[in-house]
Amino acid sequence: MPKIHRLSPDLANQIAAGEVVERPASVVKELVENALDAGARRISVAVELGGKKSIRVEDDGEGMEPDDARLALERHATSKIGSSDDLAAIRTMGFRGEALPAIASVSHLVLRSRARGSQSGTEIRVNGGTVASVVEVGMPEGTIVEVGDVFYNLPARRKFLKADAAESAQVSRAVTLLALAHHAVGFSLTSAGRTVVQCPPASTLAERFYQLFGERPDLVEVNKEAAGVRIFGYAATLARDQGPTRGAQNLFVNSRSVKDRTVAHAIIDAYSVSSVKERSPEVHLFIEMPPDRVDVNVHPTKAEVRFREQSLVHELVRRALGAALGAAPIPELQLVAPMPTGGQPVVQSLPQAFHAGGGLTSDRPAWDNLDPGPPRAGLGGDPTQAADQIGRMAPLGQLRDTYIIAVDEEGLAIIDQHVAHERVLFERTLERLKAGRLPSQRFLEPVILSFEASARQTLLGHVAELDRFGFELEEFGGDSLRITAAPALLGVEECGLALRALATDLEGLDGGARVDEALRRIAATTACHAAVKANDHLTVEKIVHILDELRQTAYSTVCPHGRPVMLRLTRREIERNFRRI
């Protein structure tokens, strides 16, 4: 008896449904994409119980004639490709011809469609893949698809669906992404009778973004075009400290929401230029390119793409984000409470000698007396991206020996002295590394430090990189290391603290990490321990020096670990609080 047999059409459709229909949100995505391909200008979606009970998608697209409506429910039937050549340059959202029959095979489906110019429409009812009826109906031009009881005939699949709220959230995300990718189309989503998304047609992406997310001052606009590729959208500013939180990363290629490792790596690369802190920043990125330069036919649900020029796309995304981040605004300071009264003054003013020497009382602003100098680009940095700089600033004093208070032509600034100095030392250190080894100081007596086994092995595994910074260390038996030299800018106490921090920072690197990534981490940790600290009283000369050096650094608004350098209170904000505007 033969072991191989042909699958029945119903079973084949159910297997196909397993690839295309993962959950109710997958149904919504496929049906909305069909509506978009039909030229719809408005699309409404309604779901019950997260889509498990019912899904209804209505559009005002071109609709279908009766024969086309019947054929659309057959597997591998499509109007979107005609030959294998069409696969090389796909311009539509759907093209496989599997969605409708696959959905119909695992649900109760009703398809109603009326072609533009036709006097009536066609209604087709399908139960578990079997056509139950075909009738003529009156309806508006366009298409309505109703899907009930998804996976009713596959209980094993249905029991793996999440709770109603979780499935509703997935539907909401799917509609949000589709609405973001197609701003000229109006979208609405109701769940259990409650309006979740309501977006009328928008004239620009910015307008649609506001409809969906409101005001987002924490995001910066991205816009770059080169080599026939356009990259645009929004990304989190450098100064936004997200900590362990992962931001949403939405990528659209030719209006199709996808995931791609090449672009994901480019995003990490772009942010690592300014900070060694590992981040998963919020990014909404759109890539437009000729369809023959990207393959969208590499995943059953079209969730992934393959670029024909991956390295080019990676570099363009990295540079587009780098340029946008370099132009990001410094966060504004919000007035929250009056200054305390009595006791020690919280702001220590600069001495009169400073004012007499050509400071704030000079005929010209103090920032006019400072030579701007060229911006620095760190190790592996891109000089074209070094645009994120503060302007010339005149210091007023210190706040609690922790923050520098300064003014410039834009208003008032509060600068974290430790974070600012850390940024300066980080870039200066990387700059000096390009010329070779950093200056070091040899200890009169070696310093013996004990470390946990993993930390000790991590440091010994990066002896060559540490040596370039001026650290000289070796095993000393047991759990100890013998340190004979350290960077000139560190003291003995700071040396020990820095090495312990470095053991933690470097341990997080995987075995395939590049040498310059290790060097950047060492530079960041060394700069952190060498920088002035909170509660350090600074002289006038030191304050002026930090501000002058900060102004000459690249990405001067964040420290190498991602913390913001300053807060601003702009002139406009001051005038608004005093009700002058």
Side-chain angles (χ1 to χ4, degrees):
M1 183 176 179
K3 296 181 179 180
I4 298 176
H5 59 277
R6 193 184 304 277
L7 295 176
S8 68
D10 288 345
L11 184 56
N13 279 336
Q14 289 179 357
I15 293 173
E19 296 178 342
V20 177
V21 185
E22 180 184 0
R23 61 198 323 159
S26 306
V27 175
V28 171
K29 174 179 176 292
E30 294 290 347
L31 296 180
V32 171
E33 286 182 345
N34 280 344
L36 291 167
D37 286 339
R41 304 302 296 171
R42 292 184 180 273
I43 301 173
S44 62
V45 181
V47 298
E48 295 287 341
L49 302 184
K52 290 185 285 187
K53 179 180 179 181
S54 68
I55 298 169
R56 187 179 193 274
V57 177
E58 181 176 359
D59 69 70
D60 61 354
E62 62 183 5
M64 292 180 283
E65 298 288 352
D67 290 344
D68 287 336
R70 294 188 187 93
L71 196 57
L73 289 163
E74 294 186 14
R75 197 173 178 204
H76 299 154
T78 180
S79 63
K80 300 167 187 178
I81 57 174
S83 68
S84 59
D85 293 339
D86 295 333
L87 292 176
I90 293 171
R91 301 176 183 274
T92 57
M93 299 301 295
F95 53 87
R96 293 172 178 266
E98 295 178 350
L100 273 178
I103 295 168
S105 70
V106 294
S107 68
H108 300 296
L109 182 143
V110 180
L111 168 67
R112 299 184 184 92
S113 190
R114 175 185 168 189
R116 288 175 183 164
S118 296
Q119 298 301 310
S120 62
T122 302
E123 176 188 277
I124 304 177
R125 292 182 176 269
V126 185
N127 297 317
T130 301
V131 176
S133 65
V134 180
V135 297
E136 183 181 9
V137 294
M139 60 172 295
E141 294 179 351
T143 300
I144 303 172
V145 181
E146 296 177 355
V147 179
D149 301 321
V150 176
F151 296 136
Y152 81 96
N153 53 351
L154 292 176
R157 290 291 304 275
R158 188 174 176 86
K159 73 178 182 180
F160 279 100
L161 295 179
K162 304 294 185 182
D164 297 348
E167 295 298 341
S168 293
Q170 291 295 325
V171 171
S172 178
R173 171 170 170 75
V175 174
T176 297
L177 292 178
L178 287 160
L180 191 57
H182 303 273
H183 66 264
V185 179
F187 282 85
S188 69
L189 167 64
T190 59
S191 178
R194 181 175 63 90
T195 300
V196 179
V197 175
Q198 187 68 55
C199 296
S203 56
T204 63
L205 172 62
E207 183 182 346
R208 173 53 52 86
F209 199 86
Y210 177 79
Q211 290 173 348
L212 292 169
F213 304 110
E215 291 285 355
R216 294 296 305 275
D218 55 334
L219 301 181
V220 63
E221 188 174 357
V222 180
N223 203 333
K224 185 177 183 63
E225 188 167 358
V229 179
R230 184 184 175 215
I231 300 171
F232 58 100
Y234 301 91
T237 58
L238 289 175
R240 183 182 180 187
D241 190 358
Q242 296 186 160
T245 304
R246 296 182 63 85
Q249 292 193 351
N250 297 322
L251 171 65
F252 304 88
V253 177
N254 291 347
S255 300
R256 187 188 306 276
S257 175
V258 298
K259 296 185 181 299
D260 181 75
R261 292 182 180 179
T262 297
V263 174
H265 186 272
I267 293 171
I268 294 174
D269 248 16
Y271 279 82
S272 69
V273 170
S274 66
S275 169
V276 297
K277 179 183 178 182
E278 293 184 0
R279 298 185 63 186
S280 180
E282 180 176 355
V283 173
H284 307 272
L285 212 57
F286 296 77
I287 300 178
E288 289 184 351
M289 59 171 50
D292 60 353
R293 295 172 67 178
V294 58
D295 185 0
V296 301
N297 191 28
V298 295
H299 192 276
T301 62
K302 306 168 295 240
E304 298 176 7
V305 295
R306 183 179 293 119
F307 297 107
R308 304 201 186 282
E309 302 159 294
Q310 287 191 351
S311 59
L312 172 65
V313 172
H314 183 284
E315 184 64 11
L316 290 176
V317 170
R318 186 183 71 83
R319 287 179 175 269
L321 286 171
L325 295 175
I330 297 170
E332 290 188 11
L333 172 68
Q334 300 296 319
L335 292 180
V336 293
M339 301 292 274
T341 58
Q344 290 289 332
V346 293
V347 178
Q348 303 291 337
S349 299
L350 296 182
Q352 184 64 30
F354 173 71
H355 300 286
L360 292 179
T361 57
S362 165
D363 290 337
R364 293 191 306 161
W367 51 82
D368 282 346
N369 300 321
L370 300 176
D371 176 23
R376 299 189 180 100
L379 185 71
D382 184 349
T384 65
Q385 297 179 6
D388 184 12
Q389 297 173 267
I390 64 171
R392 298 173 177 177
M393 309 193 80
L396 301 180
Q398 275 183 286
L399 173 64
R400 299 193 184 278
D401 285 342
T402 300
Y403 304 99
I404 297 170
I405 309 299
V407 294
D408 63 7
E409 295 171 330
E410 299 299 322
L412 183 72
I414 300 178
I415 299 133
D416 186 319
Q417 63 194 37
H418 170 71
V419 174
H421 197 208
E422 182 182 350
R423 178 85 240 179
V424 168
L425 293 179
F426 174 69
E427 293 200 12
R428 183 188 295 168
T429 298
L430 293 181
E431 192 175 72
R432 288 178 178 173
L433 271 182
K434 294 179 181 179
R437 192 174 186 269
L438 266 62
S440 66
Q441 56 177 341
R442 187 167 295 279
F443 299 142
L444 294 176
E445 294 289 338
V447 176
I448 309 301
L449 297 175
S450 297
F451 295 89
E452 293 181 356
S454 60
R456 187 175 65 255
Q457 289 305 119
T458 296
L459 292 174
L460 290 173
H462 290 87
V463 167
E465 292 91 343
L466 291 168
D467 180 75
R468 290 186 61 182
F469 281 84
F471 288 103
E472 294 182 14
L473 55 89
E474 60 187 4
E475 289 189 276
F476 193 68
D479 60 356
S480 299
L481 292 178
R482 181 173 181 263
I483 295 61
T484 57
L489 52 95
L490 288 179
V492 175
E493 183 177 351
E494 288 85 0
C495 170
L497 294 173
L499 283 172
R500 295 188 189 284
L502 279 171
T504 301
D505 290 345
L506 294 174
E507 192 173 11
L509 288 176
D510 58 45
R514 299 174 300 181
V515 172
D516 64 338
E517 175 62 20
L519 293 176
R520 288 174 59 81
R521 293 200 179 192
I522 297 172
T525 302
T526 303
C528 180
H529 286 270
V532 298
K533 306 297 189 292
N535 301 315
D536 283 354
H537 182 72
L538 304 181
T539 64
V540 174
E541 292 76 17
K542 186 69 172 179
I543 291 175
V544 172
H545 171 76
I546 290 176
L547 292 181
D548 188 23
E549 287 288 303
L550 182 65
R551 187 166 51 84
Q552 298 180 53
T553 63
Y555 299 105
S556 57
T557 59
V558 289
C559 83
H561 292 99
R563 291 173 56 195
V565 169
M566 73 175 69
L567 294 175
R568 276 200 177 280
L569 187 59
T570 65
R571 177 181 176 182
R572 183 175 181 82
E573 184 70 16
I574 293 172
E575 291 176 339
R576 183 162 57 247
N577 278 279
F578 281 109
R579 299 180 181 178
R580 288 184 174 270
I581 58 173

Coordinates of all heavy atoms in Angstrom, one line a residue, residues 236-303:
A236 N 14.0 58.2 18.6 CA 14.2 58.8 20.0 C 15.4 59.6 20.0 O 16.5 59.3 19.4 CB 14.3 57.6 21.0
T237 N 15.4 60.7 20.7 CA 16.5 61.6 20.8 C 17.6 60.9 21.7 O 17.3 60.0 22.5 CB 16.2 63.0 21.5 OG1 15.6 62.7 22.8 CG2 15.2 63.7 20.6
L238 N 18.8 61.4 21.6 CA 19.9 60.8 22.4 C 19.7 61.0 23.9 O 20.1 60.1 24.7 CB 21.2 61.4 22.0 CG 21.8 61.1 20.6 CD1 23.0 61.9 20.3 CD2 22.1 59.6 20.5
A239 N 19.2 62.1 24.2 CA 19.1 62.5 25.7 C 17.9 61.7 26.3 O 17.8 61.9 27.5 CB 18.8 64.0 25.8
R240 N 17.1 61.0 25.6 CA 16.1 60.2 26.2 C 16.6 59.0 26.9 O 17.1 58.1 26.2 CB 15.0 59.8 25.2 CG 13.8 59.1 25.9 CD 12.8 58.7 24.8 NE 11.7 58.0 25.4 CZ 10.7 57.4 24.7 NH1 10.8 57.4 23.4 NH2 9.7 56.8 25.4
D241 N 16.6 58.9 28.2 CA 17.2 57.8 28.9 C 16.1 56.8 29.2 O 15.2 56.9 30.1 CB 17.8 58.3 30.3 CG 18.6 57.2 31.0 OD1 18.6 56.1 30.4 OD2 19.1 57.5 32.0
Q242 N 16.1 55.7 28.5 CA 15.0 54.7 28.6 C 15.3 53.6 29.6 O 14.5 52.8 29.9 CB 14.8 54.0 27.2 CG 14.3 55.0 26.2 CD 13.9 54.3 24.9 OE1 13.2 54.9 24.1 NE2 14.4 53.2 24.6
G243 N 16.5 53.6 30.1 CA 16.9 52.5 31.0 C 16.7 51.1 30.4 O 17.0 50.9 29.2
P244 N 16.1 50.2 31.1 CA 15.9 48.9 30.6 C 14.7 48.7 29.7 O 14.5 47.7 29.0 CB 15.7 48.0 31.9 CG 15.1 49.0 32.8 CD 15.7 50.3 32.5
T245 N 13.9 49.8 29.6 CA 12.7 49.7 28.7 C 13.1 49.6 27.3 O 13.9 50.4 26.8 CB 11.8 50.9 29.0 OG1 11.6 51.0 30.4 CG2 10.5 50.8 28.2
R246 N 12.4 48.8 26.5 CA 12.6 48.7 25.1 C 11.6 49.6 24.4 O 10.4 49.5 24.7 CB 12.4 47.2 24.6 CG 13.5 46.3 25.2 CD 13.3 44.9 24.6 NE 13.5 44.9 23.2 CZ 14.6 44.8 22.6 NH1 15.7 44.7 23.3 NH2 14.7 44.7 21.3
G247 N 12.0 50.4 23.5 CA 11.1 51.2 22.8 C 10.6 50.5 21.5 O 11.2 49.6 21.0
A248 N 9.4 50.9 21.1 CA 8.9 50.3 19.9 C 9.8 50.6 18.7 O 10.2 51.8 18.5 CB 7.5 50.9 19.6
Q249 N 10.0 49.6 17.9 CA 10.8 49.8 16.6 C 10.0 49.3 15.5 O 9.8 48.1 15.3 CB 12.2 49.1 16.7 CG 13.1 49.7 17.7 CD 14.5 49.2 17.6 OE1 14.8 48.2 16.9 NE2 15.4 49.8 18.3
N250 N 9.5 50.3 14.7 CA 8.6 50.0 13.5 C 9.4 50.3 12.3 O 9.8 51.4 12.1 CB 7.3 50.7 13.6 CG 6.5 50.4 14.9 OD1 6.5 49.2 15.3 ND2 5.9 51.4 15.5
L251 N 9.5 49.3 11.4 CA 10.2 49.5 10.1 C 9.2 49.2 9.0 O 8.5 48.2 9.0 CB 11.4 48.5 10.0 CG 12.1 48.4 8.7 CD1 12.7 49.8 8.3 CD2 13.1 47.3 8.6
F252 N 9.2 50.1 8.0 CA 8.3 50.0 6.8 C 9.2 50.1 5.6 O 10.0 51.0 5.4 CB 7.3 51.1 6.8 CG 6.4 51.1 8.1 CD1 6.8 51.9 9.2 CD2 5.2 50.4 8.1 CE1 6.1 52.0 10.3 CE2 4.5 50.5 9.3 CZ 4.9 51.2 10.4
V253 N 9.1 49.1 4.7 CA 9.8 49.1 3.5 C 8.8 49.1 2.4 O 8.0 48.2 2.2 CB 10.7 47.8 3.3 CG1 11.4 47.8 2.0 CG2 11.8 47.8 4.4
N254 N 8.8 50.2 1.6 CA 7.8 50.4 0.6 C 6.4 50.2 1.1 O 5.5 49.5 0.6 CB 8.0 49.5 -0.6 CG 9.3 49.9 -1.4 OD1 9.8 51.0 -1.2 ND2 9.8 49.0 -2.2
S255 N 6.1 50.9 2.3 CA 4.8 50.9 3.0 C 4.4 49.5 3.6 O 3.3 49.3 4.0 CB 3.7 51.4 2.0 OG 4.0 52.7 1.6
R256 N 5.4 48.6 3.6 CA 5.1 47.3 4.2 C 5.8 47.2 5.6 O 7.0 47.4 5.6 CB 5.6 46.2 3.3 CG 5.2 44.8 3.7 CD 5.9 43.7 2.8 NE 5.6 44.0 1.4 CZ 4.5 43.5 0.7 NH1 3.6 42.9 1.4 NH2 4.4 43.8 -0.5
S257 N 5.0 46.8 6.6 CA 5.6 46.7 7.9 C 6.4 45.3 8.0 O 5.8 44.3 7.8 CB 4.5 46.7 9.0 OG 5.1 46.4 10.3
V258 N 7.7 45.4 8.3 CA 8.5 44.2 8.3 C 9.5 44.3 9.4 O 9.7 45.3 10.1 CB 9.3 44.1 6.9 CG1 8.4 43.9 5.8 CG2 10.2 45.3 6.7
K259 N 10.2 43.2 9.6 CA 11.4 43.2 10.5 C 12.6 42.8 9.7 O 12.5 42.0 8.8 CB 11.2 42.2 11.6 CG 10.0 42.5 12.6 CD 9.9 41.6 13.7 CE 8.7 41.9 14.6 NZ 8.9 43.3 15.2
D260 N 13.7 43.4 10.0 CA 15.0 43.1 9.2 C 16.2 43.3 10.1 O 16.3 44.3 10.8 CB 15.1 44.1 8.0 CG 16.3 43.8 7.2 OD1 16.3 42.8 6.5 OD2 17.3 44.5 7.3
R261 N 17.0 42.3 10.2 CA 18.2 42.3 11.0 C 19.2 43.4 10.6 O 19.9 44.0 11.4 CB 18.9 41.0 11.1 CG 18.0 39.9 11.8 CD 18.7 38.5 11.8 NE 17.9 37.5 12.4 CZ 18.3 36.3 12.6 NH1 19.5 35.9 12.1 NH2 17.5 35.4 13.2
T262 N 19.3 43.6 9.3 CA 20.3 44.6 8.8 C 19.9 46.0 9.3 O 20.8 46.7 9.8 CB 20.3 44.6 7.2 OG1 20.7 43.3 6.8 CG2 21.2 45.7 6.7
V263 N 18.7 46.3 9.2 CA 18.3 47.7 9.7 C 18.4 47.7 11.2 O 18.8 48.7 11.8 CB 16.8 48.0 9.2 CG1 16.3 49.3 9.8 CG2 16.8 48.0 7.7
A264 N 18.0 46.6 11.9 CA 18.1 46.6 13.4 C 19.5 46.9 13.8 O 19.7 47.6 14.8 CB 17.5 45.3 13.9
H265 N 20.4 46.3 13.2 CA 21.8 46.4 13.5 C 22.3 47.9 13.2 O 23.1 48.4 14.0 CB 22.7 45.4 12.8 CG 24.2 45.4 13.2 ND1 25.1 46.3 12.6 CD2 24.8 44.8 14.2 CE1 26.3 46.1 13.2 NE2 26.1 45.2 14.1
A266 N 21.8 48.4 12.1 CA 22.2 49.8 11.8 C 21.7 50.8 12.8 O 22.3 51.8 13.1 CB 21.6 50.1 10.4
I267 N 20.5 50.5 13.4 CA 19.9 51.4 14.4 C 20.8 51.3 15.7 O 21.2 52.4 16.2 CB 18.5 50.9 14.8 CG1 17.6 51.2 13.6 CG2 18.0 51.7 16.0 CD1 16.2 50.6 13.8
I268 N 21.3 50.2 16.1 CA 22.2 50.0 17.2 C 23.5 50.8 16.9 O 24.0 51.5 17.8 CB 22.4 48.5 17.5 CG1 21.1 47.9 18.0 CG2 23.5 48.4 18.6 CD1 21.3 46.4 18.2
D269 N 24.0 50.6 15.7 CA 25.3 51.3 15.3 C 25.1 52.8 15.4 O 26.0 53.5 15.9 CB 25.6 50.9 13.9 CG 26.9 50.0 13.9 OD1 27.3 49.5 14.9 OD2 27.5 49.9 12.8
A270 N 24.0 53.3 15.0 CA 23.8 54.8 14.9 C 23.8 55.3 16.3 O 24.4 56.4 16.6 CB 22.5 55.1 14.2
Y271 N 23.2 54.7 17.3 CA 23.1 55.2 18.7 C 24.4 54.9 19.4 O 24.8 55.6 20.3 CB 22.0 54.5 19.4 CG 20.6 55.2 19.1 CD1 19.9 54.8 17.9 CD2 20.1 56.2 19.9 CE1 18.7 55.5 17.6 CE2 18.9 56.8 19.6 CZ 18.2 56.4 18.5 OH 17.0 57.1 18.1
S272 N 25.2 53.9 19.0 CA 26.4 53.6 19.7 C 27.5 54.6 19.4 O 28.5 54.7 20.2 CB 27.0 52.2 19.3 OG 27.4 52.2 18.0
V273 N 27.4 55.4 18.4 CA 28.3 56.4 18.1 C 28.4 57.5 19.2 O 29.5 58.0 19.5 CB 28.0 57.1 16.7 CG1 28.9 58.4 16.5 CG2 28.2 56.2 15.6
S274 N 27.3 57.8 19.8 CA 27.3 58.8 20.9 C 27.3 58.2 22.3 O 27.6 58.9 23.2 CB 26.0 59.6 20.7 OG 24.9 58.8 21.0
S275 N 27.0 56.9 22.4 CA 26.9 56.3 23.8 C 27.2 54.9 23.7 O 26.9 54.2 22.8 CB 25.5 56.5 24.3 OG 25.2 55.8 25.4
V276 N 27.9 54.4 24.8 CA 28.2 53.0 24.9 C 27.1 52.2 25.5 O 27.1 51.0 25.6 CB 29.5 52.7 25.7 CG1 30.7 53.4 25.0 CG2 29.4 53.2 27.1
K277 N 26.1 52.9 26.0 CA 25.0 52.3 26.7 C 24.2 51.5 25.6 O 23.8 52.0 24.6 CB 24.1 53.4 27.3 CG 22.8 52.8 28.0 CD 21.9 53.9 28.5 CE 20.7 53.3 29.2 NZ 19.8 54.4 29.7
E278 N 23.9 50.3 26.0 CA 23.1 49.4 25.1 C 21.7 49.9 25.1 O 21.0 50.0 26.2 CB 23.2 48.0 25.5 CG 24.6 47.4 25.3 CD 24.6 45.9 25.6 OE1 23.6 45.4 26.0 OE2 25.7 45.3 25.5
R279 N 21.1 50.3 24.0 CA 19.8 50.8 23.9 C 19.0 50.1 22.8 O 19.5 49.6 21.8 CB 19.8 52.3 23.6 CG 20.5 53.2 24.6 CD 20.4 54.6 24.2 NE 19.0 55.1 24.2 CZ 18.6 56.3 23.8 NH1 19.5 57.1 23.4 NH2 17.4 56.6 23.9
S280 N 17.7 50.1 23.1 CA 16.8 49.6 22.0 C 15.8 50.8 21.9 O 14.7 50.8 22.4 CB 16.0 48.4 22.5 OG 15.1 47.9 21.5
P281 N 16.2 51.8 21.2 CA 15.4 53.1 21.1 C 14.2 53.0 20.3 O 14.1 52.1 19.4 CB 16.4 54.1 20.5 CG 17.2 53.2 19.6 CD 17.4 51.9 20.3
E282 N 13.2 53.8 20.6 CA 12.0 53.9 19.8 C 12.3 54.5 18.5 O 12.9 55.6 18.4 CB 11.0 54.8 20.5 CG 9.7 54.9 19.7 CD 8.6 55.7 20.5 OE1 8.8 56.0 21.6 OE2 7.5 55.9 19.9
V283 N 11.9 53.8 17.4 CA 12.2 54.2 16.0 C 11.0 53.9 15.2 O 10.5 52.8 15.2 CB 13.5 53.5 15.5 CG1 13.7 53.9 14.0 CG2 14.7 54.0 16.3
H284 N 10.6 54.8 14.4 CA 9.6 54.6 13.3 C 10.2 55.0 12.0 O 10.3 56.2 11.7 CB 8.3 55.4 13.6 CG 7.8 55.3 15.0 ND1 6.9 54.3 15.3 CD2 8.0 56.0 16.2 CE1 6.6 54.4 16.6 NE2 7.3 55.4 17.2
L285 N 10.7 54.0 11.3 CA 11.5 54.3 10.1 C 10.9 53.8 8.8 O 10.4 52.6 8.8 CB 12.9 53.6 10.3 CG 14.1 54.3 9.7 CD1 14.2 55.7 10.2 CD2 15.3 53.4 10.0
F286 N 10.9 54.6 7.8 CA 10.3 54.3 6.5 C 11.4 54.2 5.5 O 12.2 55.2 5.4 CB 9.3 55.3 6.1 CG 8.1 55.3 7.0 CD1 8.1 55.9 8.2 CD2 6.9 54.7 6.6 CE1 7.0 56.0 9.1 CE2 5.8 54.7 7.5 CZ 5.8 55.4 8.7
I287 N 11.5 53.2 4.7 CA 12.5 53.1 3.6 C 11.7 52.9 2.3 O 10.9 52.0 2.2 CB 13.4 51.9 3.8 CG1 14.2 52.0 5.1 CG2 14.4 51.8 2.6 CD1 15.1 50.9 5.5
E288 N 12.0 53.8 1.4 CA 11.4 53.7 0.0 C 12.5 53.4 -1.0 O 13.5 54.2 -1.0 CB 10.7 55.0 -0.3 CG 9.4 55.2 0.5 CD 8.6 56.4 0.0 OE1 9.1 57.2 -0.8 OE2 7.4 56.6 0.5
M289 N 12.3 52.4 -1.8 CA 13.3 52.1 -2.8 C 12.6 51.4 -4.0 O 11.5 50.9 -3.9 CB 14.4 51.2 -2.2 CG 13.9 49.9 -1.7 SD 15.2 48.7 -1.2 CE 16.2 49.7 -0.2
P290 N 13.3 51.3 -5.2 CA 12.7 50.6 -6.3 C 12.4 49.2 -5.9 O 13.2 48.5 -5.2 CB 13.8 50.6 -7.4 CG 14.6 51.9 -7.0 CD 14.6 52.0 -5.5
P291 N 11.2 48.6 -6.3 CA 10.8 47.3 -5.8 C 11.7 46.2 -6.3 O 11.8 45.1 -5.6 CB 9.4 47.2 -6.4 CG 9.3 48.2 -7.5 CD 10.2 49.3 -7.1
D292 N 12.5 46.4 -7.3 CA 13.4 45.4 -7.8 C 14.7 45.3 -7.0 O 15.5 44.4 -7.2 CB 13.7 45.5 -9.3 CG 14.4 46.8 -9.6 OD1 14.5 47.7 -8.7 OD2 14.8 47.0 -10.7
R293 N 14.8 46.2 -6.0 CA 16.0 46.1 -5.1 C 15.7 45.5 -3.8 O 16.6 45.5 -2.9 CB 16.6 47.5 -4.9 CG 17.1 48.1 -6.2 CD 17.5 49.6 -6.1 NE 18.6 49.8 -5.3 CZ 19.1 51.0 -5.1 NH1 18.6 52.1 -5.6 NH2 20.2 51.2 -4.3
V294 N 14.5 45.0 -3.6 CA 14.1 44.3 -2.3 C 13.2 43.2 -2.6 O 12.3 43.3 -3.4 CB 13.4 45.3 -1.4 CG1 12.2 46.0 -2.0 CG2 13.1 44.7 -0.1
D295 N 13.4 42.0 -2.0 CA 12.6 40.8 -2.2 C 11.7 40.7 -1.0 O 12.1 40.5 0.1 CB 13.6 39.6 -2.3 CG 12.8 38.3 -2.6 OD1 11.5 38.4 -2.8 OD2 13.4 37.3 -2.7
V296 N 10.4 40.8 -1.2 CA 9.4 40.7 -0.2 C 8.8 39.3 -0.1 O 7.9 39.0 0.7 CB 8.3 41.7 -0.3 CG1 8.9 43.1 -0.3 CG2 7.5 41.5 -1.6
N297 N 9.2 38.4 -1.0 CA 8.6 37.1 -1.1 C 9.5 36.0 -0.4 O 9.8 35.0 -0.9 CB 8.5 36.7 -2.6 CG 7.6 35.5 -2.8 OD1 6.8 35.2 -1.9 ND2 7.9 34.7 -3.8
V298 N 9.9 36.4 0.9 CA 10.8 35.5 1.6 C 10.1 34.9 2.9 O 10.8 34.2 3.7 CB 12.1 36.1 2.0 CG1 12.9 36.5 0.7 CG2 11.9 37.4 2.8
H299 N 8.9 35.3 3.1 CA 8.2 34.9 4.3 C 6.7 34.7 4.1 O 6.1 35.4 3.3 CB 8.4 36.0 5.4 CG 8.0 35.5 6.8 ND1 6.7 35.6 7.2 CD2 8.7 35.0 7.8 CE1 6.7 35.1 8.5 NE2 7.9 34.8 8.9
P300 N 6.1 33.6 4.6 CA 4.7 33.3 4.3 C 3.8 34.5 4.6 O 2.8 34.7 3.9 CB 4.4 32.1 5.2 CG 5.7 31.5 5.4 CD 6.7 32.6 5.5
T301 N 4.0 35.2 5.7 CA 3.2 36.3 6.0 C 3.7 37.7 5.6 O 3.3 38.7 6.0 CB 2.9 36.4 7.6 OG1 4.2 36.6 8.2 CG2 2.3 35.1 8.0
K302 N 4.8 37.6 4.8 CA 5.4 38.9 4.2 C 6.0 39.7 5.3 O 6.0 41.0 5.2 CB 4.5 39.6 3.3 CG 3.8 38.8 2.2 CD 2.7 39.5 1.5 CE 1.6 39.7 2.5 NZ 0.3 39.1 2.2
A303 N 6.4 39.1 6.4 CA 6.9 39.9 7.6 C 8.4 40.2 7.5 O 8.9 41.0 8.3 CB 6.6 39.1 8.9

